Coordinates of all heavy atoms in Angstrom, one line a residue:
M1 N 104.4 86.9 108.2 CA 105.1 88.2 108.3 C 106.5 88.1 107.7 O 107.2 87.2 108.0 CB 105.2 88.6 109.7 CG 103.8 88.9 110.4 SD 103.1 90.4 110.0 CE 103.9 91.5 111.1
T2 N 106.9 89.0 106.9 CA 108.2 89.1 106.4 C 108.9 90.3 107.0 O 108.3 91.2 107.6 CB 108.3 89.2 104.9 OG1 107.6 90.3 104.5 CG2 107.7 88.0 104.3
L3 N 110.2 90.3 107.0 CA 111.0 91.4 107.6 C 110.6 92.8 107.1 O 110.6 93.7 107.9 CB 112.5 91.2 107.4 CG 113.2 90.3 108.5 CD1 114.7 90.2 108.1 CD2 113.1 91.0 109.8
D4 N 110.3 92.9 105.8 CA 110.1 94.2 105.3 C 108.7 94.8 105.7 O 108.3 95.8 105.3 CB 110.3 94.3 103.8 CG 109.5 93.3 103.0 OD1 108.9 92.4 103.6 OD2 109.4 93.5 101.8
E5 N 108.0 94.0 106.5 CA 106.7 94.6 107.0 C 107.0 95.4 108.3 O 106.1 95.9 108.9 CB 105.7 93.5 107.3 CG 105.1 92.9 106.0 CD 104.3 91.7 106.3 OE1 103.6 91.6 107.3 OE2 104.4 90.7 105.4
G6 N 108.3 95.5 108.7 CA 108.6 96.3 109.9 C 109.7 95.6 110.7 O 110.1 94.5 110.4
P7 N 110.1 96.3 111.7 CA 111.2 95.8 112.5 C 110.7 94.6 113.3 O 109.5 94.4 113.6 CB 111.5 96.9 113.5 CG 110.3 97.8 113.5 CD 109.7 97.6 112.2
R8 N 111.6 93.7 113.6 CA 111.3 92.6 114.5 C 110.9 93.1 115.9 O 111.5 94.0 116.4 CB 112.5 91.6 114.7 CG 112.6 90.6 113.6 CD 113.6 89.5 113.9 NE 113.8 88.6 112.8 CZ 113.0 87.7 112.3 NH1 111.8 87.5 112.9 NH2 113.3 87.0 111.3
L9 N 109.8 92.6 116.4 CA 109.3 93.1 117.7 C 109.7 92.2 118.8 O 109.7 90.9 118.6 CB 107.8 93.1 117.6 CG 107.2 94.2 116.7 CD1 105.7 94.0 116.7 CD2 107.5 95.6 117.2
P10 N 110.0 92.7 120.0 CA 110.1 91.9 121.2 C 108.7 91.4 121.5 O 107.7 91.9 121.0 CB 110.6 92.9 122.2 CG 110.1 94.2 121.8 CD 110.1 94.2 120.3
G11 N 108.6 90.3 122.2 CA 107.3 89.8 122.6 C 106.6 90.7 123.5 O 107.2 91.6 124.1
P12 N 105.3 90.5 123.7 CA 104.5 91.4 124.7 C 105.2 91.3 126.1 O 105.6 90.2 126.5 CB 103.1 90.7 124.6 CG 103.0 90.0 123.4 CD 104.4 89.5 123.1
T13 N 105.2 92.4 126.7 CA 105.9 92.4 128.0 C 104.9 92.5 129.2 O 105.3 92.5 130.3 CB 106.8 93.7 128.1 OG1 105.9 94.9 128.0 CG2 107.9 93.7 127.1
G14 N 103.6 92.6 128.8 CA 102.6 92.7 129.9 C 102.2 94.2 130.1 O 101.3 94.4 130.9
R15 N 103.0 95.1 129.5 CA 102.7 96.5 129.6 C 102.2 97.0 128.3 O 102.7 96.7 127.2 CB 103.9 97.3 130.0 CG 104.3 97.3 131.5 CD 103.2 98.0 132.3 NE 103.6 98.2 133.7 CZ 104.5 99.2 134.1 NH1 105.0 100.0 133.2 NH2 104.8 99.3 135.3
C16 N 101.1 97.9 128.3 CA 100.5 98.4 127.1 C 101.5 99.3 126.3 O 102.1 100.2 126.9 CB 99.3 99.2 127.5 SG 98.3 99.8 126.1
W17 N 101.6 99.0 125.0 CA 102.5 99.7 124.1 C 102.0 101.2 123.8 O 102.7 101.9 123.1 CB 102.7 98.9 122.9 CG 103.9 98.0 123.0 CD1 104.0 97.0 123.9 CD2 105.1 98.0 122.3 NE1 105.2 96.4 123.8 CE2 105.9 97.0 122.7 CE3 105.6 98.8 121.2 CZ2 107.2 96.8 122.2 CZ3 106.8 98.6 120.7 CH2 107.6 97.5 121.2
C18 N 100.8 101.6 124.2 CA 100.4 102.9 124.0 C 101.2 103.8 125.0 O 101.2 105.1 124.8 CB 98.9 103.1 124.1 SG 98.3 103.5 125.8
G19 N 101.7 103.2 126.0 CA 102.5 104.0 127.0 C 101.6 104.4 128.2 O 102.1 105.2 129.0
C20 N 100.4 103.9 128.3 CA 99.5 104.3 129.4 C 100.0 103.8 130.8 O 99.5 104.2 131.8 CB 98.1 103.9 129.1 SG 97.8 102.1 129.1
G21 N 100.9 102.8 130.7 CA 101.4 102.2 132.0 C 100.5 101.1 132.5 O 100.9 100.4 133.5
Q22 N 99.4 100.8 131.9 CA 98.6 99.7 132.4 C 99.1 98.3 131.9 O 99.8 98.2 130.9 CB 97.1 99.9 131.9 CG 96.5 101.1 132.4 CD 95.1 101.3 131.9 OE1 94.2 100.4 132.2 NE2 94.8 102.3 131.2
E23 N 98.6 97.3 132.6 CA 99.0 95.9 132.3 C 98.0 95.4 131.2 O 96.9 95.9 131.1 CB 98.9 95.0 133.5 CG 100.0 95.3 134.6 CD 99.9 94.4 135.7 OE1 99.2 93.4 135.7 OE2 100.7 94.6 136.7
T24 N 98.6 94.5 130.4 CA 97.7 93.9 129.3 C 97.4 92.5 129.6 O 98.0 91.9 130.6 CB 98.5 93.9 128.0 OG1 99.6 93.1 128.1 CG2 98.9 95.3 127.5
G25 N 96.5 91.9 128.9 CA 96.3 90.5 129.0 C 97.5 89.7 128.5 O 98.3 90.2 127.8
A26 N 97.5 88.4 128.9 CA 98.6 87.6 128.5 C 98.8 87.5 126.9 O 97.8 87.4 126.2 CB 98.4 86.1 129.0
G27 N 100.0 87.8 126.4 CA 100.2 87.7 125.0 C 99.8 88.9 124.2 O 99.9 89.0 123.0
A28 N 99.3 90.0 124.9 CA 98.7 91.2 124.2 C 99.7 92.3 124.3 O 100.4 92.5 125.4 CB 97.4 91.6 124.8
Y29 N 99.8 93.1 123.2 CA 100.6 94.3 123.3 C 99.9 95.5 123.8 O 100.5 96.5 124.3 CB 101.1 94.7 121.9 CG 102.2 93.8 121.3 CD1 102.0 92.8 120.4 CD2 103.6 94.0 121.8 CE1 103.0 92.0 120.0 CE2 104.6 93.2 121.3 CZ 104.3 92.2 120.4 OH 105.3 91.4 119.9
F30 N 98.5 95.5 123.7 CA 97.7 96.6 124.1 C 96.5 96.3 125.0 O 96.0 95.1 124.9 CB 97.1 97.3 122.8 CG 98.1 97.9 121.9 CD1 98.6 97.2 120.8 CD2 98.7 99.1 122.2 CE1 99.5 97.8 119.9 CE2 99.6 99.7 121.3 CZ 100.0 99.0 120.2
R31 N 96.1 97.2 125.8 CA 94.7 97.2 126.4 C 93.8 97.3 125.2 O 94.1 97.9 124.2 CB 94.5 98.3 127.3 CG 95.5 98.4 128.5 CD 95.2 97.5 129.6 NE 93.9 97.9 130.2 CZ 93.4 97.2 131.3 NH1 94.1 96.2 131.8 NH2 92.2 97.6 131.8
P32 N 92.5 96.8 125.4 CA 91.6 96.9 124.3 C 91.4 98.4 123.8 O 91.2 99.2 124.6 CB 90.3 96.4 124.9 CG 90.7 95.4 126.0 CD 92.0 96.0 126.5
G33 N 91.5 98.6 122.5 CA 91.3 99.9 121.9 C 92.5 100.8 122.0 O 92.6 101.8 121.2
H34 N 93.5 100.5 122.8 CA 94.7 101.4 122.9 C 95.6 101.3 121.7 O 96.4 102.2 121.5 CB 95.5 101.0 124.2 CG 94.8 101.3 125.5 ND1 95.4 101.6 126.7 CD2 93.4 101.5 125.7 CE1 94.5 101.9 127.6 NE2 93.3 101.8 127.1
D35 N 95.5 100.3 120.9 CA 96.3 100.2 119.6 C 95.8 101.4 118.7 O 96.7 102.0 118.1 CB 96.2 98.9 118.9 CG 94.7 98.4 118.7 OD1 93.8 98.9 119.4 OD2 94.5 97.6 117.8
K36 N 94.5 101.6 118.7 CA 94.0 102.7 117.8 C 94.4 104.1 118.4 O 94.7 105.0 117.6 CB 92.5 102.6 117.8 CG 92.0 101.4 117.0 CD 92.5 101.4 115.6 CE 92.1 100.2 114.8 NZ 92.8 100.1 113.5
T37 N 94.5 104.2 119.7 CA 95.0 105.4 120.3 C 96.4 105.7 119.9 O 96.8 106.8 119.5 CB 94.9 105.3 121.9 OG1 93.5 105.1 122.2 CG2 95.4 106.6 122.5
A38 N 97.3 104.6 120.0 CA 98.7 104.8 119.7 C 98.8 105.1 118.2 O 99.7 105.9 117.8 CB 99.4 103.5 120.1
E39 N 98.1 104.4 117.4 CA 98.1 104.7 115.9 C 97.8 106.1 115.6 O 98.5 106.8 114.8 CB 97.1 103.7 115.2 CG 97.2 103.8 113.7 CD 96.2 102.8 113.1 OE1 95.1 102.6 113.7 OE2 96.5 102.3 112.0
A40 N 96.8 106.7 116.2 CA 96.4 108.1 116.0 C 97.5 109.0 116.5 O 97.7 110.1 115.9 CB 95.0 108.4 116.7
A41 N 98.1 108.7 117.7 CA 99.1 109.5 118.2 C 100.4 109.5 117.3 O 101.0 110.6 117.2 CB 99.5 109.0 119.6
V42 N 100.7 108.4 116.7 CA 101.8 108.4 115.7 C 101.5 109.3 114.6 O 102.3 110.1 114.1 CB 102.1 107.0 115.2 CG1 103.1 107.0 114.0 CG2 102.6 106.1 116.3
L43 N 100.3 109.2 114.0 CA 99.9 110.1 112.9 C 100.0 111.6 113.4 O 100.5 112.4 112.6 CB 98.5 109.7 112.5 CG 98.1 110.2 111.1 CD1 98.9 109.5 110.0 CD2 96.6 109.9 110.9
A44 N 99.6 111.9 114.6 CA 99.6 113.2 115.1 C 101.0 113.7 115.3 O 101.4 114.9 114.9 CB 98.8 113.3 116.4
T45 N 101.9 112.9 115.9 CA 103.2 113.4 116.3 C 104.2 113.3 115.2 O 105.2 114.1 115.2 CB 103.7 112.6 117.5 OG1 103.8 111.2 117.2 CG2 102.8 112.8 118.7
R46 N 104.1 112.4 114.3 CA 105.1 112.2 113.3 C 104.7 112.7 111.9 O 105.5 112.9 111.0 CB 105.5 110.7 113.2 CG 106.2 110.1 114.4 CD 107.6 110.7 114.6 NE 108.3 110.0 115.6 CZ 108.4 110.4 116.9 NH1 107.8 111.5 117.3 NH2 109.1 109.7 117.7
Y47 N 103.4 112.8 111.6 CA 102.9 113.1 110.3 C 101.9 114.2 110.3 O 101.2 114.4 109.3 CB 102.3 111.8 109.6 CG 103.3 110.7 109.5 CD1 103.2 109.6 110.4 CD2 104.3 110.7 108.6 CE1 104.1 108.6 110.4 CE2 105.2 109.6 108.5 CZ 105.1 108.6 109.4 OH 106.0 107.5 109.4
G48 N 101.9 115.1 111.3 CA 101.0 116.2 111.3 C 99.5 115.9 111.1 O 98.8 116.6 110.5
N49 N 99.1 114.7 111.6 CA 97.7 114.2 111.4 C 97.4 114.0 109.9 O 96.2 114.0 109.5 CB 96.7 115.1 112.0 CG 96.5 114.8 113.5 OD1 96.5 113.6 113.9 ND2 96.3 115.8 114.3
S50 N 98.4 113.9 109.0 CA 98.2 113.8 107.6 C 98.5 112.4 107.1 O 99.7 112.0 107.1 CB 99.0 114.9 106.9 OG 99.0 114.6 105.5
V51 N 97.5 111.7 106.6 CA 97.8 110.4 106.0 C 98.6 110.6 104.7 O 99.4 109.7 104.4 CB 96.4 109.7 105.7 CG1 96.7 108.4 105.0 CG2 95.7 109.4 107.0
V52 N 98.4 111.7 104.0 CA 99.2 112.0 102.8 C 100.7 112.0 103.2 O 101.6 111.4 102.5 CB 98.8 113.3 102.1 CG1 99.8 113.6 101.0 CG2 97.4 113.1 101.5
R53 N 101.0 112.7 104.3 CA 102.4 112.8 104.7 C 103.0 111.4 105.1 O 104.1 111.0 104.8 CB 102.6 113.7 105.9 CG 102.5 115.1 105.5 CD 102.7 116.1 106.7 NE 102.4 117.4 106.3 CZ 102.5 118.4 107.2 NH1 103.0 118.2 108.4 NH2 102.2 119.6 106.8
L54 N 102.1 110.6 105.7 CA 102.5 109.2 106.1 C 102.8 108.4 104.8 O 103.8 107.7 104.7 CB 101.3 108.6 106.9 CG 101.4 107.1 107.1 CD1 102.4 106.7 108.1 CD2 100.0 106.6 107.5
L55 N 101.9 108.5 103.8 CA 102.1 107.8 102.6 C 103.4 108.2 101.9 O 104.2 107.4 101.5 CB 100.9 108.0 101.7 CG 99.6 107.3 102.2 CD1 98.4 107.8 101.4 CD2 99.7 105.8 102.0
A56 N 103.5 109.5 101.7 CA 104.7 110.1 101.0 C 106.0 109.7 101.7 O 107.0 109.3 101.1 CB 104.6 111.6 100.9
H57 N 106.0 109.7 103.1 CA 107.2 109.3 103.8 C 107.6 107.9 103.5 O 108.8 107.6 103.5 CB 106.9 109.4 105.3 CG 108.0 109.0 106.2 ND1 109.1 109.8 106.5 CD2 108.3 107.8 106.8 CE1 109.9 109.2 107.3 NE2 109.5 107.9 107.5
H58 N 106.6 107.0 103.2 CA 106.9 105.6 102.9 C 107.0 105.3 101.4 O 107.0 104.2 101.0 CB 105.9 104.7 103.6 CG 106.0 104.7 105.1 ND1 107.0 104.0 105.8 CD2 105.4 105.4 106.0 CE1 106.9 104.2 107.0 NE2 106.0 105.1 107.3
G59 N 107.0 106.4 100.6 CA 107.3 106.2 99.2 C 106.0 105.9 98.3 O 106.1 105.6 97.2
F60 N 104.8 106.1 99.0 CA 103.6 105.8 98.2 C 103.0 107.1 97.7 O 103.3 108.2 98.2 CB 102.6 105.2 99.2 CG 103.0 103.8 99.7 CD1 103.3 103.6 101.0 CD2 103.1 102.8 98.8 CE1 103.7 102.4 101.5 CE2 103.5 101.5 99.2 CZ 103.8 101.3 100.6
S61 N 102.3 107.0 96.6 CA 101.7 108.2 95.9 C 100.5 107.6 95.1 O 100.3 106.4 95.0 CB 102.7 108.8 95.0 OG 103.0 108.0 93.9
P62 N 99.8 108.5 94.3 CA 98.8 107.9 93.5 C 99.3 107.0 92.4 O 98.6 106.0 92.0 CB 98.2 109.2 92.8 CG 98.4 110.3 93.8 CD 99.7 110.0 94.4
E63 N 100.6 107.2 92.0 CA 101.2 106.3 91.0 C 101.9 105.1 91.7 O 102.2 104.1 91.0 CB 102.3 107.1 90.2 CG 101.7 108.2 89.3 CD 101.2 109.4 90.1 OE1 101.9 109.8 91.1 OE2 100.2 110.0 89.7
A64 N 102.2 105.2 92.9 CA 102.8 104.1 93.7 C 101.9 103.7 94.8 O 102.1 104.1 95.9 CB 104.2 104.5 94.2
S65 N 100.9 102.9 94.4 CA 99.7 102.6 95.3 C 100.1 101.7 96.5 O 100.6 100.6 96.2 CB 98.6 102.0 94.5 OG 97.6 101.5 95.3
V66 N 99.8 102.1 97.7 CA 100.0 101.3 98.8 C 99.0 100.1 98.8 O 99.4 99.0 99.2 CB 99.9 102.1 100.1 CG1 98.5 102.7 100.3 CG2 100.2 101.2 101.3
V67 N 97.8 100.3 98.3 CA 96.8 99.3 98.3 C 97.2 98.2 97.2 O 97.1 97.0 97.5 CB 95.4 99.8 98.0 CG1 94.4 98.7 97.8 CG2 94.9 100.8 99.1
A68 N 97.7 98.7 96.1 CA 98.2 97.7 95.1 C 99.4 96.9 95.7 O 99.4 95.7 95.4 CB 98.7 98.5 93.8
E69 N 100.3 97.5 96.4 CA 101.4 96.7 97.0 C 100.8 95.7 98.0 O 101.3 94.5 98.0 CB 102.4 97.7 97.7 CG 103.5 96.8 98.4 CD 104.6 97.6 98.9 OE1 105.0 98.7 98.3 OE2 105.2 97.2 99.9
A70 N 99.9 96.1 98.8 CA 99.3 95.2 99.8 C 98.7 93.9 99.1 O 98.8 92.8 99.5 CB 98.3 95.8 100.6
T71 N 98.0 94.2 98.0 CA 97.3 93.1 97.3 C 98.3 92.3 96.4 O 98.3 91.1 96.4 CB 96.1 93.6 96.4 OG1 96.6 94.6 95.6 CG2 95.0 94.0 97.3
D72 N 99.2 93.0 95.8 CA 100.2 92.3 94.9 C 101.1 91.4 95.8 O 101.5 90.3 95.3 CB 101.2 93.4 94.2 CG 100.5 94.2 93.1 OD1 99.3 93.8 92.8 OD2 101.0 95.1 92.7
R73 N 101.4 91.8 97.0 CA 102.2 90.9 97.8 C 101.4 89.9 98.6 O 101.9 89.1 99.4 CB 103.0 91.8 98.8 CG 104.0 92.6 98.1 CD 104.7 93.6 99.1 NE 105.2 92.9 100.3 CZ 105.6 93.5 101.4 NH1 105.5 94.8 101.5 NH2 106.1 92.8 102.4
G74 N 100.1 89.8 98.4 CA 99.2 88.8 99.0 C 98.9 89.1 100.5 O 98.4 88.2 101.1
I75 N 99.2 90.3 100.9 CA 98.9 90.6 102.3 C 97.4 90.9 102.4 O 96.8 90.6 103.4 CB 99.8 91.8 102.8 CG1 101.3 91.5 102.6 CG2 99.4 92.2 104.2 CD1 102.2 92.7 102.7
W76 N 96.9 91.6 101.4 CA 95.5 91.9 101.3 C 94.9 91.1 100.2 O 95.7 90.6 99.3 CB 95.3 93.4 101.1 CG 95.2 94.3 102.3 CD1 95.7 93.9 103.6 CD2 94.8 95.6 102.4 NE1 95.5 95.0 104.4 CE2 95.0 96.0 103.7 CE3 94.3 96.5 101.5 CZ2 94.6 97.3 104.2 CZ3 93.9 97.8 101.9 CH2 94.1 98.2 103.2
E77 N 93.6 91.0 100.2 CA 92.9 90.3 99.1 C 91.9 91.3 98.4 O 91.5 92.3 99.0 CB 92.1 89.1 99.7 CG 92.9 88.0 100.3 CD 92.1 86.9 101.0 OE1 90.9 87.1 101.1 OE2 92.8 85.9 101.3
V78 N 91.5 90.9 97.2 CA 90.5 91.6 96.5 C 89.2 90.8 96.5 O 89.3 89.6 96.3 CB 90.9 91.8 95.0 CG1 89.9 92.7 94.2 CG2 92.3 92.5 94.9
C79 N 88.1 91.5 96.8 CA 86.8 90.8 96.8 C 86.6 90.3 95.3 O 86.7 91.0 94.4 CB 85.7 91.8 97.2 SG 84.1 91.0 97.0
P80 N 86.2 89.0 95.2 CA 86.0 88.5 93.8 C 84.8 89.0 93.1 O 84.6 88.9 91.9 CB 85.9 86.9 94.1 CG 85.5 86.8 95.5 CD 86.1 88.0 96.2
A81 N 83.9 89.7 93.9 CA 82.7 90.2 93.3 C 82.6 91.7 93.1 O 81.7 92.3 92.4 CB 81.5 89.8 94.2
C82 N 83.6 92.5 93.6 CA 83.7 93.9 93.4 C 85.1 94.4 93.6 O 86.0 93.6 93.7 CB 82.7 94.6 94.4 SG 83.2 94.7 96.1
E83 N 85.3 95.7 93.8 CA 86.6 96.3 93.9 C 87.1 96.4 95.3 O 88.2 96.9 95.5 CB 86.6 97.7 93.3 CG 86.3 97.8 91.8 CD 87.4 97.1 91.0 OE1 88.6 97.5 91.2 OE2 87.1 96.2 90.2
Y84 N 86.3 95.9 96.3 CA 86.8 96.0 97.7 C 88.1 95.3 97.9 O 88.3 94.2 97.4 CB 85.7 95.4 98.6 CG 86.0 95.6 100.1 CD1 85.6 96.7 100.8 CD2 86.8 94.6 100.7 CE1 86.0 96.8 102.1 CE2 87.1 94.7 102.1 CZ 86.7 95.8 102.8 OH 87.0 96.0 104.1
R85 N 89.0 95.9 98.6 CA 90.3 95.3 99.0 C 90.5 95.5 100.5 O 90.1 96.5 101.0 CB 91.4 96.0 98.2 CG 91.4 95.8 96.8 CD 92.3 96.8 96.1 NE 92.2 96.7 94.6 CZ 93.2 96.5 93.8 NH1 94.5 96.4 94.4 NH2 93.1 96.3 92.6
G86 N 91.1 94.5 101.1 CA 91.4 94.6 102.5 C 92.0 93.3 103.0 O 92.3 92.4 102.2
A87 N 92.3 93.3 104.3 CA 92.9 92.1 104.9 C 91.9 90.9 104.7 O 90.7 91.2 104.6 CB 93.1 92.4 106.4
P88 N 92.3 89.7 104.7 CA 91.4 88.6 104.5 C 90.2 88.6 105.4 O 89.1 88.4 104.9 CB 92.4 87.4 104.7 CG 93.7 87.8 104.3 CD 93.8 89.3 104.7
A89 N 90.4 88.9 106.7 CA 89.3 88.9 107.6 C 88.3 90.1 107.2 O 87.1 89.9 107.4 CB 89.8 89.1 109.0
S90 N 88.8 91.2 106.7 CA 88.0 92.3 106.3 C 87.2 91.9 105.1 O 86.0 92.3 105.0 CB 88.8 93.6 106.0 OG 89.5 94.0 107.2
V91 N 87.8 91.2 104.1 CA 87.1 90.8 102.9 C 86.0 89.8 103.3 O 84.9 89.9 102.8 CB 88.0 90.2 101.9 CG1 87.3 89.6 100.7 CG2 89.0 91.2 101.4
T92 N 86.2 89.0 104.2 CA 85.2 88.0 104.7 C 84.0 88.8 105.3 O 82.9 88.5 104.9 CB 85.8 87.1 105.8 OG1 86.9 86.4 105.2 CG2 84.7 86.1 106.3
V93 N 84.3 89.8 106.1 CA 83.2 90.6 106.7 C 82.5 91.4 105.6 O 81.2 91.4 105.6 CB 83.7 91.5 107.8 CG1 82.7 92.5 108.2 CG2 84.3 90.7 109.0
H94 N 83.2 92.0 104.7 CA 82.7 92.7 103.6 C 81.7 91.9 102.8 O 80.6 92.3 102.4 CB 83.8 93.3 102.7 CG 83.3 93.5 101.3 ND1 82.6 94.7 100.9 CD2 83.5 92.8 100.2 CE1 82.3 94.6 99.7 NE2 82.8 93.5 99.1
R95 N 82.1 90.7 102.4 CA 81.3 89.8 101.6 C 80.0 89.4 102.3 O 79.0 89.3 101.6 CB 82.1 88.6 101.1 CG 83.3 88.9 100.2 CD 83.9 87.7 99.6 NE 83.0 87.0 98.7 CZ 83.3 85.9 98.1 NH1 84.4 85.2 98.4 NH2 82.4 85.4 97.2
R96 N 80.1 89.2 103.6 CA 78.9 88.8 104.4 C 77.9 90.0 104.3 O 76.7 89.8 104.1 CB 79.3 88.4 105.8 CG 78.1 87.8 106.6 CD 78.5 87.5 108.0 NE 79.8 86.8 108.1 CZ 80.8 87.2 108.9 NH1 80.6 88.2 109.7 NH2 81.9 86.5 109.0
K97 N 78.4 91.2 104.6 CA 77.6 92.4 104.6 C 77.0 92.7 103.3 O 75.8 93.1 103.1 CB 78.3 93.6 105.1 CG 78.6 93.6 106.6 CD 79.3 94.8 107.1 CE 79.5 94.8 108.6 NZ 80.4 96.0 109.0
A98 N 77.8 92.5 102.2 CA 77.4 92.8 100.8 C 76.6 91.7 100.2 O 76.0 91.9 99.1 CB 78.6 93.1 100.0
K99 N 76.6 90.6 100.9 CA 75.8 89.4 100.4 C 76.3 89.0 99.1 O 75.5 88.7 98.2 CB 74.3 89.6 100.4 CG 73.7 89.9 101.9 CD 72.2 90.1 101.8 CE 71.6 90.1 103.2 NZ 72.3 90.7 104.3
H100 N 77.6 88.9 98.9 CA 78.1 88.4 97.6 C 79.5 87.7 97.9 O 80.0 87.7 98.9 CB 78.2 89.4 96.5 CG 79.1 90.5 96.7 ND1 78.9 91.8 96.3 CD2 80.4 90.6 97.2 CE1 79.9 92.6 96.6 NE2 80.8 91.9 97.1
Ligands
LIG201 ZN1 97.4 101.7 126.8
LIG202 ZN1 82.7 92.9 97.2

């Protein structure tokens, strides 16, 4: 992780970061699934449920591709057999399912 991937985070405190007030497992920021709840709530409260607004806010557009940045910086990988792009673990799952 580099600094421009986001602010430095404090370590997990044992309380879920979605704000539900529940305790988490050791070393975890979220209860299972609550990260997706929080992610959806950010999209709803800050970007009007619009991924386009989220992208534009961060300077991305069809000409300034967020996916290209992710792969150019080596954060994401490109499947060697097709156009699929994703996190290394996602590419591994994709290749197993696609059998290539
Ligand atoms: Zn929670
Ligand atoms: Zn592929």
